[in-house]
Amino acid sequence: MTLSNEALAELVRPDSVNKRVYTDPDIFNLEMKRIYGKAWIYVGHESQVPNTGDYHTTRIGDQDVIMVRSTGGAVHVLYNRCPHKGAKLLADGDGNTGKFFRCPYHAWTYKLDGKSLAVPLKNAMEGTCYDPAHPDFSMRKVARVESYRGFVFASQSAEGPDLRSFLGGVISSIDNMCDRSPIGEVEVAGGVFRVLQPSNWKVFYENLHDTMHARVTHESSFQAARDEAAVLGEMPFELLIMDGNGEPYEFWEKLELRAYDNGHGYMEGIFDPAAATRDPVSRAHFESLSSVHGETRAREILGMNRHNTIIYGSGSPHTVFQQFRVIRPMAVNRTMVEIQTFRLKGAPDGVFDRALTYANVINSPSSNVMPDDVEVYKRCQEGNQTDGGDWVSLHRYMGTDKVLPDGMVSTNGTSELPMRNQFKAWRQYMLETGSEHIQGAGRAVA
């Protein structure tokens, strides 16, 4: 089967998308080239590789990559492949490789920037075209790498906008997460959760700003929280963060949904920022920021009321509870979500403890909340494989969104503006390459 630009364009309407965008393996393979092969994708945080030789393995689309701290402090992103026999150099995970990379197959070695270092029995290469200075005999670097406040992004394309331009207005969410630290720095800490979801990667992005699902999908968890609170006679933090999903529709309708170019956006927070001076943890946090910036600036920082932010193609930072849900496509019907928790350097210990509580109660595989979402994602994937219809509706408040210079803002918090914005970006990415198309199992050809 061939997917031309014309055929791809017909899959996205202003108010709906064809179910094939979630179920067609050929489309998924093309996404890996045209979206993940071009966009800036979050690779990891510099704090995950603090020392020379420290590495973090991850993926950019369907490509295995290594983020490594090199001699002199530079952070590189390299494809996880030995150029000799093509073996994967490092197993998945984090660690320290020492002063160089060593292939486990034939012991070819490479400097931490990927350049060839040594080959065993090198005399056997005499009389051949082998040249350690030639790029073919070194680990290949990802085309572009940029770091913003410690968050490392990479693009597989040598051309395109710089990272700041790509992020646009959504960069303010990264700023706010870092600014919540009295010294303006954060670090990944406390371990990482991983959840393998049997669904297409785009479903997760849509759900992040889907305010209509919360009181339906999460009814069992917020009702359980309320029942427990009734027994206790109070609503402790662990129950409060589950209870938030049970707000009435009138509450969700008042929230702001912001859509930026390139598919990014944020959803206004669901917890009261005025609580910053009420509970002991928030009050201590406020005081730590006030001592550095003054009370006015501290209120501005803690008053930025955002829940889920979307960096399209990368995942979702949560500024208030210092999370980053990193979304990695694995197959057309399989997505890995990695939940990173950040410590705000210089902030009271209770702030980090609260972030860990939020991660465990809301985002962990064993939480009462995450399985609700995973189940409905799975049902969407299964339902879209039936003959029950071809189109997925994005109609809510269509035509009411307010246009801004760099995107749009909703007039109602239950609008499907975020989904429409994401598919606008999807369409632009997928149609950007002119005459390129795919055949067979998704192989790109000219």
Side-chain angles (χ1 to χ4, degrees):
M1 183 187 73
T2 298
L3 280 172
S4 64
N5 278 347
E6 292 73 16
L8 288 166
E10 291 176 356
L11 297 175
V12 179
R13 298 171 176 171
D15 55 12
S16 54
V17 296
N18 192 283
K19 67 183 181 182
R20 287 179 59 199
V21 301
Y22 307 102
T23 62
D24 190 328
D26 288 340
I27 291 176
F28 176 84
N29 290 335
L30 194 57
E31 290 171 339
M32 296 304 100
K33 300 179 185 302
R34 295 189 179 178
I35 299 178
Y36 286 87
K38 294 184 177 181
W40 285 99
I41 304 297
Y42 174 66
V43 175
H45 193 268
E46 289 186 17
S47 63
Q48 294 175 283
V49 289
N51 305 307
T52 299
D54 285 349
Y55 66 84
H56 169 68
T57 66
T58 185
R59 289 167 67 89
I60 300 176
D62 57 357
Q63 301 295 306
D64 290 311
V65 299
I66 303 165
M67 179 177 70
V68 61
R69 179 77 67 171
S70 183
T71 304
V75 174
H76 301 288
V77 181
L78 310 166
Y79 290 99
N80 195 352
R81 177 187 183 273
C82 174
H84 177 216
K85 292 292 186 180
K88 192 172 179 179
L89 272 165
L90 297 179
D92 294 341
D94 295 4
N96 185 287
T97 191
K99 297 180 179 180
F100 53 83
F101 294 106
R102 180 179 183 271
C103 181
Y105 197 5
H106 295 96
W108 284 36
T109 57
Y110 307 91
K111 298 176 184 178
L112 296 178
D113 62 1
K115 293 180 180 178
S116 176
L117 180 60
V119 173
L121 301 177
K122 187 176 179 180
N123 60 307
M125 311 297 278
E126 292 180 4
T128 73
C129 68
Y130 170 75
D131 178 1
H134 194 282
D136 284 353
F137 298 100
S138 291
M139 296 172 65
R140 182 175 295 176
K141 290 184 177 181
V142 176
R144 292 185 293 162
V145 177
E146 289 190 32
S147 179
Y148 183 76
R149 301 194 71 166
F151 291 82
V152 179
F153 290 77
S155 171
Q156 297 187 79
S157 174
E159 300 177 350
D162 61 25
L163 177 61
R164 282 175 172 264
S165 299
F166 172 77
L167 293 174
V170 83
I171 205 169
S172 57
S173 289
I174 297 177
D175 283 332
N176 185 248
M177 181 186 287
C178 296
D179 290 345
R180 286 170 180 261
S181 156
I183 63 173
E185 297 179 6
V186 300
E187 61 183 350
V188 176
V192 174
F193 289 125
R194 290 180 177 84
V195 181
L196 186 60
Q197 301 179 349
S199 52
N200 187 267
W201 64 276
K202 295 184 289 297
V203 175
F204 196 115
Y205 282 98
E206 295 176 51
N207 190 72
L208 285 166
H209 292 173
D210 185 335
T211 59
M212 287 293 293
H213 88 282
R215 61 179 288 107
V216 180
T217 302
H218 300 299
E219 183 177 9
S220 62
S221 56
F222 78 70
Q223 191 58 57
R226 292 175 179 180
D227 291 344
E228 181 67 14
V231 172
L232 295 175
E234 60 177 342
M235 181 73 78
F237 176 74
E238 294 84 350
L239 300 180
L240 175 66
I241 54 180
M242 287 195 289
D243 176 66
N245 283 319
E247 295 286 357
Y249 287 129
E250 291 80 5
F251 169 85
W252 302 103
E253 288 187 305
K254 294 176 182 177
L255 296 183
E256 178 180 278
L257 300 173
R258 183 68 162 84
Y260 291 105
D261 294 340
N262 299 318
H264 312 316
Y266 68 76
M267 166 189 160
E268 191 178 5
I270 66 173
F271 300 107
D272 180 9
T277 56
R278 289 205 290 264
D279 73 273
V281 172
S282 295
R283 186 164 55 250
H285 189 191
F286 175 75
E287 291 171 355
S288 71
L289 289 174
S290 297
S291 66
V292 176
H293 302 296
E295 290 191 4
T296 299
R297 176 59 180 151
R299 286 194 176 91
E300 289 176 354
I301 293 170
L302 296 180
M304 182 177 279
N305 189 19
R306 295 184 185 178
H307 196 59
N308 295 326
T309 291
I310 288 175
I311 301 177
Y312 192 65
S314 291
S316 176
H318 191 304
T319 59
V320 177
F321 294 117
Q322 304 113 249
Q323 319 280 305
F324 199 133
R325 282 183 282 181
V326 186
I327 303 172
R328 304 295 188 207
M330 304 297 289
V332 70
N333 60 352
R334 194 155 47 97
T335 302
M336 177 65 74
V337 178
E338 178 181 282
I339 299 96
Q340 300 175 353
T341 302
F342 289 79
R343 177 187 285 114
L344 306 178
K345 291 184 178 181
D349 291 341
V351 177
F352 180 59
D353 292 341
R354 188 173 59 185
L356 289 177
T357 298
Y358 185 87
N360 278 280
V361 173
I362 303 299
N363 289 332
S364 76
S366 59
S367 78
N368 287 336
V369 179
M370 173 70 80
D372 297 337
D373 289 319
V374 174
E375 174 65 20
V376 295
Y377 301 162
K378 175 175 176 284
R379 293 196 187 194
C380 287
Q381 196 68 28
E382 292 173 342
N384 280 323
Q385 291 171 332
T386 73
D387 291 330
D390 293 330
W391 293 91
V392 174
S393 170
L394 305 177
H395 289 80
R396 286 194 62 82
Y397 286 97
M398 173 71 186
T400 70
D401 310 315
K402 182 180 178 181
V403 178
L404 300 175
D406 58 350
M408 291 180 138
V409 65
S410 65
T411 56
N412 187 290
T414 65
S415 171
E416 287 174 317
L417 165 64
M419 300 76 169
R420 293 189 289 268
N421 187 56
Q422 289 165 33
F423 276 105
K424 176 185 176 183
W426 183 92
R427 190 177 188 274
Q428 290 171 340
Y429 277 119
M430 297 294 280
L431 303 183
E432 214 169 40
T433 53
S435 61
E436 184 183 33
H437 61 279
I438 62 172
Q439 293 180 334
R443 180 172 55 88
V445 296

